Amino acid sequence: MTATLTRADVAPVASPKRRRRAPGWLAVLPLLVFVAIAFGLPAIAMLNGAFTVKDPATGATSYTTENLTNSLQGAYLTALLGSVKLSAVSAGLGALFGLPLAHVVVSSGSRALRETVLTASGVLANFGGVPLAFAFVATLGNAGVLTRHLGLSATGWDLYSFWGLVLVYLYFLIPLMVLTIAPALDGLRAQWREAAQNNGATAVQYWRHVALPVLLPSLLGGLVLLFGSAFAAYATAAAMVGSSVPLVTLQIADAISGNVLVGQENVALALSLDMVLVAGLVMAVYLPLQRRSARWLA
Amino acid sequence: MSVSLPRSAVLGGSLAVVAALALSACGAAPDNASTTADGKSAATATSAADFGGMDKLVAAAKKEGTLHAIALPRDWANYGALIDGFQKKYGIKIEVENPDGSSQDEINAVTSRKGQDRAPDVLDLGSSFAVSAAQQGLLAPYKVAAYDDIPEAQKDAQARWYNDYGGYVSIGCDAKRVKQCPTTFKDLLKPQYKGQVALNGNPTKSGSAFGGVYAAALAGGGSFDDIQPGLDFFAELKKNGNYTPVESTPATVEKGETPISIDWDYLNAGYAEEFKSKGVDWKVVVPADGKFSQYYSQAINKDAPHPAAARLWQEYLYSAEGQNLWLAGYARPALMPAMEKAGTLDKAAAAKLPEVAGTPVFPTEEQQSKAKTVLAQGWAKAVSG
């Protein structure tokens, strides 16, 4: 994903040296084979499973849309919407905090600060899953150190809720945003600001008419990435909030490996398909815009 | 891109590839060791007598040398001692795959590795999964010597599965953190237990948490046919702030995150023992207003790669020795009433169990599956927000 934001993408499309394209394709072949096996096959298996039901008694399978209908009803729909809401809110907040932070670091001109922050972001952006959940539980959970020392319980603080989860997600989403947006901020030329100032533009006007439009596609790209990270996250939520925040990844886990519900595997596949569709929709917003920004930041 | 492919799909697909490769690599399961001289096969033997007696079964099992088990945690209902006991007695090695797996994981392992050498031989399933697996023809009928002593309501008429051990939903309570321990579901609603009441899992996934909701339903005017009062109970618990969504484990109990935990009595009672040395005073009661018991079921994979060892394991589990080992882990073995009569019950271990009056009653499969549907639909609504 980050690769799409660098200049590598802007390779000249209409190259005059057409004859050299064939060997290029050959070199890509191992990658294509890998993608076909690691992503293509599971995708087909998922698609197939999402549309089949198995009769428990005879073992015969038949095609149906029943799984998909089920996955878009009742508790499953609530979970899907819950996931979308959580991902959208945390991605939005992540961008809101990440962008100014990255801007300060990039425009400070201090190399040491820049490298420290970017390295730290690289580490923190990958700090997720159960360890992250436990770190927060130990600090801010209902028997956590800070909760007890500051008496947070009395103020209504509850880590095991929607907003608690947003807070935990921001812990890795903000660094992710900093990492994603820093190259784009580097691409903002100092000359543009100077030109705007010379023409009498205020700082607000410069941001409103120059910087943000140029940054917008990268910003959207970052948002999509953040959304995806939050949308697919599972272990942190499972370890921290259990079933009290409805999330589609948790529902899939319940359906696919539980001790209670029998024969829900195909509904789980249908839920996975729903997730793919949501992710696809979100990306569809971003892709057309990405091409435009590449021109400016090259 | 991680965004577009959920983990489950990737897993499922790669498993399919692996399974396909493995299938082509190694053909049918070995069948050499499990046939007697007079042509009887352990894979089809429906009792020890059918195979020519215990001695022959032991000999065949020893020849196989290994037993593949799945989802048997050593610290659950004393399985560690059972595994060690069997290995020592017969010199057969037990390999436990995925010790913390769920019933669904067990079924998946049986179906995806059908006919392979690595398939599980024996299964310890939640009762609904046992019924469903029997319907799908995955289980081998086999009567252990004590089959007739297993209570009627706790076994399949065709002996494809029968209950092994179980317990009651109980309330565990950290007496050092909680001034007055609750003894009924009604107590749990009192304001003094704010933020302290936990389940040991998500009831749409964990069997014991499901039992907790069912028990709450029975306490609140519901019945086996009507689990809704249980959902209402937890919704109220959530509303008045008593419910904590932290899923209790020994670790959360020890840290004080879940001072009150609804769980099987054999798990809670086991914790009490474990915690004594750590200064936690863990009290366990079976609530008088919501008595719900459930047993797990024991079954043999129809295509078990070690059919004789699988059958011998069953004989061991349903011997007085095996049953008493479960009992020593605070679980109530299925043969408990029969052993009490026969005088083979470990009385000291039985005396340590939390007290319960009356005999257990079980919901039927239909009642359970209906309750599960209601629960799956309503649980998130009851406790989210």
Side-chain angles (χ1 to χ4, degrees), chain A residues 22-237:
Chain A
W25 272 105
L26 273 182
V28 179
L29 200 64
L31 175 72
L32 292 181
V33 171
F34 175 78
V35 169
I37 291 176
F39 289 86
L41 278 182
I44 292 168
M46 179 185 72
L47 203 62
N48 182 47
F51 287 104
T52 46
V53 278
K54 193 172 172 192
D55 191 63
T58 60
T61 55
S62 55
Y63 285 91
T64 170
T65 54
E66 194 186 311
N67 298 321
L68 218 56
T69 324
N70 273 342
S71 78
L72 292 171
Q73 273 176 359
Y76 290 130
L77 182 65
T78 316
L80 193 63
L81 294 178
S83 270
V84 170
K85 185 174 145 204
L86 178 74
S87 314
V89 168
S90 41
L93 287 174
L96 201 66
F97 292 116
L99 179 65
L101 185 63
H103 179 66
V104 167
V105 170
V106 167
S107 63
S108 72
S110 156
R111 215 188 135 131
L113 177 70
R114 181 193 160 91
E115 281 181 1
T116 315
V117 171
L118 288 188
T119 310
S121 297
V123 174
L124 291 176
N126 287 300
F127 183 37
V130 179
L132 177 66
F134 279 138
F136 268 88
V137 166
T139 329
L140 286 165
N142 64 6
V145 179
L146 280 185
T147 319
R148 264 183 307 178
H149 276 288
L150 305 177
L152 289 178
S153 298
T155 64
W157 166 249
D158 180 12
L159 180 68
Y160 316 108
S161 63
F162 179 84
W163 289 106
L165 206 54
V166 169
L167 179 78
V168 176
Y169 278 18
L170 285 180
Y171 197 78
F172 63 85
L173 289 180
I174 293 176
L176 193 58
M177 190 66 194
V178 171
L179 280 185
T180 333
I181 204 74
L185 286 167
D186 282 336
L188 283 184
R189 309 268 161 83
Q191 295 94 311
W192 296 346
R193 177 188 279 270
E194 288 160 12
Q197 277 171 346
N198 288 344
N199 286 317
T202 62
V204 174
Q205 279 172 321
Y206 162 72
W207 275 99
R208 165 85 182 74
H209 296 287
V210 181
L212 274 182
V214 173
L215 282 180
L216 187 64
S218 307
L219 206 57
L220 273 177
L223 268 174
V224 170
L225 180 65
L226 263 54
F227 182 90
S229 273
F231 197 55
Y234 161 72
T236 313

Side-chain angles (χ1 to χ4, degrees), chain B residues 88-347:
Chain B
K88 208 171 143 208
K89 187 162 181 183
Y90 297 111
I92 296 168
K93 194 169 175 299
I94 299 186
E95 288 165 357
V96 182
E97 171 194 348
N98 187 10
D100 294 320
S102 65
S103 295
Q104 185 64 51
D105 293 334
E106 298 181 45
I107 300 290
N108 292 347
V110 170
T111 50
S112 68
R113 278 186 247 143
K114 201 174 174 130
Q116 283 180 55
D117 203 13
R118 303 175 303 128
D121 290 308
V122 287
L123 305 166
D124 177 3
L125 295 163
S127 54
S128 313
F129 287 86
V131 170
S132 140
Q135 273 177 1
Q136 293 174 49
L138 300 174
L139 309 177
Y142 181 79
K143 284 187 183 169
V144 289
Y147 179 77
D148 291 337
D149 288 336
I150 302 172
E152 210 55 50
Q154 304 196 40
K155 60 188 175 194
D156 175 33
Q158 295 177 47
R160 293 169 297 185
W161 56 265
Y162 22 88
N163 285 354
D164 41 20
Y165 62 90
Y168 286 82
V169 168
S170 69
I171 301 175
C173 164
D174 183 346
K176 285 218 173 112
R177 285 179 205 266
V178 180
K179 273 197 200 93
Q180 197 182 8
C181 278
T183 56
T184 59
F185 276 100
K186 217 166 147 205
D187 283 350
L188 294 175
L189 290 168
K190 289 180 183 164
Q192 70 206 71
Y193 303 126
K194 198 163 170 30
Q196 295 186 321
V197 183
L199 278 170
N200 97 325
N202 169 359
T204 59
K205 187 174 184 188
S206 139
S208 46
F210 170 73
V213 179
Y214 228 149
L218 299 180
S223 65
F224 285 154
D225 286 308
D226 181 18
I227 197 174
Q228 189 58 43
L231 289 171
D232 297 342
F233 174 84
F234 279 96
E236 195 182 339
L237 211 57
K238 165 80 190 179
K239 218 171 90 198
N240 73 10
N242 284 10
Y243 178 73
T244 170
V246 181
E247 296 174 356
S248 64
T249 62
T252 62
V253 168
E254 209 184 317
K255 278 187 294 179
E257 270 193 278
T258 53
I260 298 172
S261 164
I262 302 171
D263 206 338
W264 293 130
D265 60 350
Y266 49 93
L267 296 182
N268 266 334
Y271 296 164
E273 174 120 311
E274 186 187 332
F275 288 153
K276 239 179 235 157
S277 57
K278 292 173 182 161
V280 178
D281 184 10
W282 191 245
K283 294 241 189 307
V284 186
V285 290
V286 173
D289 57 349
K291 267 187 285 179
F292 181 80
S293 81
Q294 199 178 43
Y295 282 65
Y296 284 88
S297 304
Q298 200 58 230
I300 300 174
N301 178 2
K302 195 176 170 195
D303 298 309
H306 308 100
R311 283 158 176 78
L312 185 60
W313 171 246
Q314 303 299 331
E315 295 290 356
Y316 179 72
L317 293 179
Y318 289 86
S319 68
E321 183 184 343
Q323 296 276 303
N324 276 329
L325 280 174
W326 265 324
L327 186 61
Y330 302 98
R332 295 163 206 264
L335 295 174
M336 199 167 164
M339 287 166 68
E340 207 162 8
K341 237 183 259 167
T344 48
L345 194 72
D346 179 348
K347 291 218 173 66

